[in-house]
Amino acid sequence: MKFVHYLEKITDISIYPVISFCIFGLFFLVMATYVIKSDKKHMDENSRIPLD
Amino acid sequence: MQVEKFYYDNKIVRAFAYATVLWGIVGMLAGLWVAIQFYAPAASLNYAGTTFGRLRPIHTNAVIFAFVGNCMFTGIYYSLQRLCKARMFSDLLSKIHFWGWQSIIVLAALTLFFGMTTGKEYAELEWPIDILITVIWVVFGINMFGTIIKRRESHIYVAIWFYIATWITVAMLHIVNSIEIPVNLFKSYSWYAGVQDALVQWWYGHNAVAFFLTTPILGLMYYFLPKAANRPVYSYRLSIIHFWALIFLYIWAGPHHLLYTALPDWAQSLGVVFSVMLIAPSWGGMLNGLFTLRGAWDKVREEPVLKFFVVAITCYGMSTFEGPMLSLKNVNAIAHFTDWIIGHVHIGGLGWNGFMAFGMLYYLIPKMFNTPLYSKKLATNHFWLGTIGIVLYAIPLYWAGFTQSLMWKQFTEDGTLQYPNFLETVTQIIPMYITRSIGGTLYLIGAFFMVYNLYKTVKQGSFIADEAAEAAPLEKAHSHAKEYWHRVIERKPMQMLVISLIVVAIGGLIELIPTFLVKSNIPTIASVKPYTPLELQGRDIYIREGCYTCHSQMIRPFRDEVARYGEYSKAGEFVYDHPFQWGSKRTGPDLAREGGKNPDSWHFMHMFDPRQVSDKSIMPRYPWLYQNDLDISTTPGKIRAMQTLGVPYEKGYDQIANTALETQAKEISFGLKTDSKVKQLMTVEGISNPEKKEIVALIAYLQRIGKDIKGGQKSKTAQASLK
């Protein structure tokens, strides 16, 4: 009587978490690359916006 | 380049700031009142509007949407203008936003007081108010984006990203979770049922915490902390990562509220994994905040504003560490449904939200009134009272949660429950409840200090309604061909909006869609039938009185829960439950198998005065259910609404539903009248015609819960005498 058994009828349900994980991984990599590659001067300028 | 002269609108900031203080006090008072009801049930005044089940939603709605909501708007209206070097887009929209939001709050308080509720936590407001919220939220959005578009600063500072993500995500959550079928002006049914309703609700509920209580306040942190410390944020790079990772991950975490429930396993696992990953961006943000103060700790010693911020950020760190821990299945198995969770949310609520709000107000009011704070000493005292208050609030509840959970799960050597009487596990932790309310009182007294301090500051200063500023207008954008994509987005608020939406929508869609596709796959348990009209009416009374704030209807597949309550809950049992009533806290026992457990007469006596039946019970009395006539004029409309939602009542059943209702009510009251104790109570209290009263409908519902798969136990109506 467990709910999962009925869910198993959707083919390959387990793919969902895997897809999610991959999307996040990719997203994170792209973002991290951007952040690391961005130049320091630009970052410093931006971080001073509240203070000017 | 020609500099332009313009004025910041401080009036709107002041209005929201005052509203923050007012609703903060109101919300906390309501909180203290419900806290006292835990050990002094008479504090419910035996009056419907002030019982726990109605007051608790008033408390939660007041602190979330009125206190933190107004705090968020105060900070956004102040910081956005300055970060954009522009006045708000439209003074008129600002005013509409302000008055619109305050009227929503008043309407919310009134309707909840009168028991008009959808029965979904933190989304209790009925459909006309839901629509009003949507309209006002759009007004706020136009005003905010208008301001961003006419800004004089090319880069959009990270605080504003948090505001944008907040705006779009709250809009999405609110709309999706509020889809409901109106029965009349004051009553609607959730469009979703059972498992799906639960998933949507906690996808909403968790992200209300994320995108109403967290992201906007992080935005405020990224503005006000550097301001107050007079130094830029520790790492702007880190803040970018913090932002994107946080909004991406948060949206997936909702199912951790539903571990071990009838929710599909894959969705539960997804919720766990993403919840655990959330530690990383959350702590990144916390460290970014704390490191901003590196080398400036001498300032923290002197400046109450910074003191508040430091503790707030620390509490943010604590609750975002605890959150993922609570998502681990084995920890969750212990903590869920207990006071541990209440302790957890108050570290966030009192520590993070409250202290951020206080720090911000102590910073803003003197600035806008062009005067120093009236008394730093008083503010420091507020700080200490508040901090001790938080500790005294949270620790007893962790203790209580842990103790009670262990007692629930304790078996004797011969394999029976050590504490079969649920109430025993409640009376054990009453001292903790008392200590908690003392902590809350200290915190509240501190808040009163603030009211006085700010009042004096306002009196001694002179308000700058329009603050002069100047800046050069933005140059026309030239070609950015060689720039990074992100740098381009950073200049374009609309793109930012769209990308944030995509980022948060992915999580929602991947989680929700399969669960909806599953609809056809939910095991239709043949014996699960729609509620009878009387039971349906009774269920609506259950929702109206907020019984779900103390009772769950979800037996998890644990040995102790099955031993205590009976067969664990199945997804297929809830297919006609619009809305679901699984609950989130067990102050009283689970009711998922209540049907047939006690005789009708027991319920009749118990609901009238629980302490007459269960000694030392802390459940409120419900005497008005014995006086109010059941309003059966709504029955046909309710049946039709249910039919629209796919509940298989026969065609035309709405017309004959009341006949069935009256027959069932008569049967129950006939049985009741044969019981001597019931008869005595009716005579003493002057209760006549029980078959017409609300109590009979409620009893009908209670006797139905969970019975469909219980194998048709006979209702032990009146024959059995009272225990």
Side-chain angles (χ1 to χ4, degrees):
Chain A
M1 265 308 284
K2 240 180 139 200
F3 192 41
V4 230
H5 297 324
Y6 297 90
L7 268 160
E8 277 162 3
K9 285 190 191 148
I10 316 181
T11 31
D12 301 328
I13 189 78
S14 59
I15 200 79
Y16 275 96
V18 178
I19 294 178
S20 325
F21 212 84
C22 292
I23 297 177
F24 177 72
L26 226 105
F27 175 81
F28 192 84
L29 277 179
V30 173
M31 182 187 56
T33 332
Y34 155 73
V35 171
I36 292 162
K37 284 179 79 177
S38 59
D39 71 11
K40 175 133 177 57
K41 205 174 125 260
H42 174 63
M43 286 288 158
D44 286 346
E45 272 167 29
N46 288 343
S47 72
R48 295 204 62 87
I49 292 176
L51 302 176
D52 306 330
Chain B
M1 171 122 25
Q2 188 69 40
V3 286
E4 293 175 338
K5 200 163 163 59
F6 55 91
Y7 296 91
Y8 296 132
D9 180 4
N10 276 349
K11 266 198 191 144
I12 187 67
V13 181
R14 179 181 62 178
F16 276 120
Y18 287 174
T20 308
V21 175
L22 171 72
W23 296 123
I25 297 286
V26 171
M28 290 177 220
L29 276 172
L32 186 59
W33 193 347
V34 290
I36 289 171
Q37 293 193 16
F38 273 85
Y39 52 87
S44 79
L45 311 179
N46 301 327
Y47 176 72
T50 49
T51 44
F52 184 86
R54 294 201 195 177
L55 209 50
R56 192 249 188 192
I58 292 181
H59 162 62
T60 52
N61 279 279
V63 291
I64 298 174
F65 300 109
F67 174 54
V68 180
N70 277 305
C71 160
M72 164 199 327
F73 300 138
T74 309
I76 292 180
Y77 275 88
Y78 186 87
S79 62
L80 186 67
Q81 300 188 68
R82 281 146 183 94
L83 289 170
C84 290
K85 301 211 164 53
R87 190 183 176 88
M88 286 309 294
F89 173 63
S90 152
D91 285 5
L92 178 67
L93 289 185
S94 302
K95 280 198 193 109
I96 297 178
H97 177 198
F98 177 77
W99 287 110
W101 196 258
Q102 310 316 314
S103 25
I104 289 167
I105 294 169
V106 172
L107 285 174
L110 286 175
T111 50
L112 292 174
F113 183 82
F114 288 112
M116 297 158 198
T117 169
T118 62
K120 291 171 66 159
E121 280 179 85
Y122 322 120
E124 284 98 345
L125 305 180
E126 269 300 350
W127 65 274
I129 307 181
D130 282 342
I131 293 175
L132 190 58
I133 294 174
T134 314
V135 172
I136 297 300
W137 197 253
V138 169
V139 167
F140 166 48
I142 296 173
N143 209 8
M144 177 162 76
F145 282 100
T147 313
I148 299 175
I149 286 167
K150 65 168 208 181
R151 74 194 185 281
R152 296 187 179 81
E153 167 70 62
S154 84
H155 178 77
I156 300 177
Y157 183 68
V158 67
I160 303 176
W161 309 1
F162 279 100
Y163 305 157
I164 294 176
T166 299
W167 185 80
I168 186 65
T169 314
V170 169
M172 172 181 81
L173 295 167
H174 172 67
I175 292 172
V176 175
N177 191 42
S178 299
I179 302 179
E180 49 218 358
I181 292 263
V183 176
N184 56 40
L185 192 56
F186 308 113
K187 173 79 197 162
S188 65
Y189 289 125
S190 173
W191 185 47
Y192 319 100
V195 175
Q196 283 140 9
D197 198 33
L199 186 66
V200 174
Q201 158 64 23
W202 284 111
W203 171 77
Y204 164 89
H206 180 74
N207 288 303
V209 173
F211 287 88
F212 207 90
L213 301 176
T214 310
T215 55
I217 313 302
L218 284 169
L220 302 187
M221 174 187 93
Y222 277 118
Y223 178 80
F224 286 100
L225 185 67
K227 265 308 215 206
N230 197 24
R231 43 176 45 211
V233 64
Y234 170 66
S235 161
Y236 200 72
R237 282 199 170 97
L238 186 53
S239 69
I240 295 177
I241 299 189
H242 180 201
F243 173 77
W244 287 112
L246 193 80
I247 67 165
F248 190 101
L249 291 178
Y250 243 131
I251 208 82
W252 303 77
H256 68 211
H257 291 257
L258 300 168
L259 301 179
Y260 293 109
T261 64
L263 188 75
D265 271 356
W266 67 269
Q268 295 186 24
S269 311
L270 204 63
V272 173
V273 171
F274 278 85
S275 304
V276 172
M277 297 204 311
L278 259 174
I279 288 191
S282 303
W283 275 50
M286 171 189 72
L287 294 176
N288 210 0
L290 292 179
F291 284 167
T292 300
L293 297 169
R294 77 202 177 288
W297 290 97
D298 49 317
K299 271 194 200 160
V300 178
R301 219 166 298 138
E302 271 151 37
E303 189 45 67
V305 172
L306 289 179
K307 281 200 177 77
F308 277 107
F309 285 164
V310 167
V311 170
I313 296 167
T314 312
C315 286
Y316 172 62
M318 278 164 55
S319 42
T320 53
F321 175 74
E322 199 189 1
M325 291 304 115
L326 287 169
S327 312
L328 298 175
K329 279 189 133 186
N330 44 358
V331 181
N332 190 276
I334 298 173
H336 195 53
F337 290 135
T338 75
D339 288 295
W340 187 337
I341 307 301
I342 321 296
H344 168 62
V345 298
H346 282 84
I347 294 283
L350 301 171
W352 165 242
N353 290 117
F355 272 31
M356 281 304 290
F358 301 151
M360 186 184 80
L361 291 168
Y362 281 128
Y363 173 83
L364 275 182
I365 299 285
K367 274 268 183 303
M368 291 195 299
F369 283 83
N370 198 21
T371 176
L373 184 65
Y374 168 71
S375 165
K376 272 195 182 181
K377 190 151 174 258
L378 201 56
T380 308
N381 289 341
H382 173 196
F383 168 79
W384 285 111
L385 265 183
T387 307
I388 298 169
I390 295 173
V391 174
L392 276 187
Y393 186 104
I395 292 180
L397 286 193
Y398 289 130
W399 192 289
F402 203 68
T403 310
Q404 195 178 23
S405 189
L406 293 185
M407 289 175 81
W408 288 345
K409 289 176 184 302
Q410 188 66 48
F411 280 93
T412 59
E413 265 174 27
D414 40 314
T416 55
L417 287 169
Q418 172 104 46
Y419 305 99
N421 181 1
F422 185 92
L423 195 51
E424 231 182 310
T425 71
V426 179
T427 44
Q428 179 74 25
I429 56 178
I430 294 291
M432 303 299 156
Y433 285 141
I434 296 174
T435 322
R436 175 266 292 269
S437 71
I438 295 172
T441 310
L442 292 184
Y443 190 91
L444 184 59
I445 294 173
F448 278 116
F449 282 16
M450 178 184 75
V451 174
Y452 178 73
N453 206 353
L454 293 182
Y455 171 76
K456 282 298 210 184
T457 310
V458 166
K459 278 277 147 216
Q460 78 186 11
S462 63
F463 184 58
I464 313 168
D466 297 290
E467 194 177 322
E470 46 188 25
L474 270 192
E475 293 169 60
K476 267 268 178 303
H478 39 278
S479 157
H480 295 298
K482 280 183 68 190
E483 273 186 332
Y484 285 115
W485 58 272
H486 199 280
R487 241 172 115 169
V488 180
I489 308 174
E490 282 165 19
R491 296 230 180 89
K492 304 225 159 112
M494 285 307 159
Q495 272 90 327
M496 178 75 98
L497 174 86
V498 173
I499 295 186
S500 311
L501 178 62
I502 294 173
V503 167
V504 293
I506 292 175
L509 291 176
I510 293 190
E511 253 172 36
L512 298 181
I513 289 178
T515 319
F516 280 82
L517 291 181
V518 166
K519 185 156 185 156
S520 51
N521 288 295
I522 286 191
T524 23
I525 303 175
S527 56
V528 175
K529 295 274 177 327
Y531 294 105
T532 68
L534 187 66
E535 290 159 3
L536 189 63
Q537 291 284 12
R539 188 167 201 272
D540 287 340
I541 293 170
Y542 184 94
I543 293 169
R544 182 186 79 192
E545 301 306 344
C547 309
Y548 67 90
T549 58
C550 281
H551 290 286
S552 59
Q553 291 187 20
M554 171 49 61
I555 302 167
R556 297 175 293 176
F558 298 149
R559 178 176 167 221
D560 66 291
E561 297 207 357
V562 173
R564 185 181 297 280
Y565 304 118
E567 183 62 23
Y568 68 86
S569 299
K570 316 287 188 301
E573 288 182 69
F574 305 102
V575 288
Y576 304 128
D577 284 9
H578 298 268
F580 79 116
Q581 289 287 286
W582 294 359
S584 61
K585 171 75 188 9
R586 283 183 188 149
T587 300
D590 188 279
L591 297 179
R593 298 278 173 257
E594 186 60 28
K597 187 180 159 207
N598 294 298
D600 291 355
S601 54
W602 188 92
H603 289 296
F604 193 89
M605 302 303 290
H606 180 251
M607 296 298 301
F608 189 80
D609 186 355
R611 274 155 297 286
Q612 291 297 317
V613 179
S614 308
D615 190 29
K616 297 214 181 94
S617 173
I618 61 171
M619 178 162 144
R621 297 184 50 198
Y622 292 91
W624 59 92
L625 299 180
Y626 299 73
Q627 302 300 334
N628 294 354
D629 280 342
L630 181 66
D631 176 9
I632 60 169
S633 69
T634 53
T635 315
K638 287 181 174 180
I639 297 288
R640 281 193 298 272
M642 285 295 176
Q643 282 170 326
T644 314
L645 293 169
V647 178
Y649 292 112
E650 272 163 41
K651 212 164 162 270
Y653 190 67
D654 55 323
Q655 294 311 320
I656 50 168
N658 268 334
T659 324
L661 181 149
E662 281 164 355
T663 315
Q664 193 185 2
K666 280 206 186 94
E667 253 171 53
I668 293 175
S669 76
F670 179 79
L672 282 171
K673 282 185 213 155
T674 59
D675 184 277
S676 60
K677 285 203 175 163
V678 168
K679 266 205 297 210
Q680 196 191 348
L681 181 71
M682 295 207 313
T683 330
V684 174
E685 298 294 333
I687 303 163
S688 54
N689 296 333
E691 69 277 7
K692 288 207 162 29
K693 305 295 176 201
E694 293 185 331
I695 183 65
V696 169
L698 184 61
I699 292 177
Y701 171 62
L702 290 173
Q703 294 293 27
R704 172 66 187 274
I705 313 175
K707 259 194 40 197
D708 286 350
I709 68 162
K710 242 178 161 181
Q713 263 190 49
K714 272 241 173 82
S715 119
K716 295 181 255 171
T717 316
Q719 298 90 320
S721 60
L722 284 173
K723 279 178 248 169

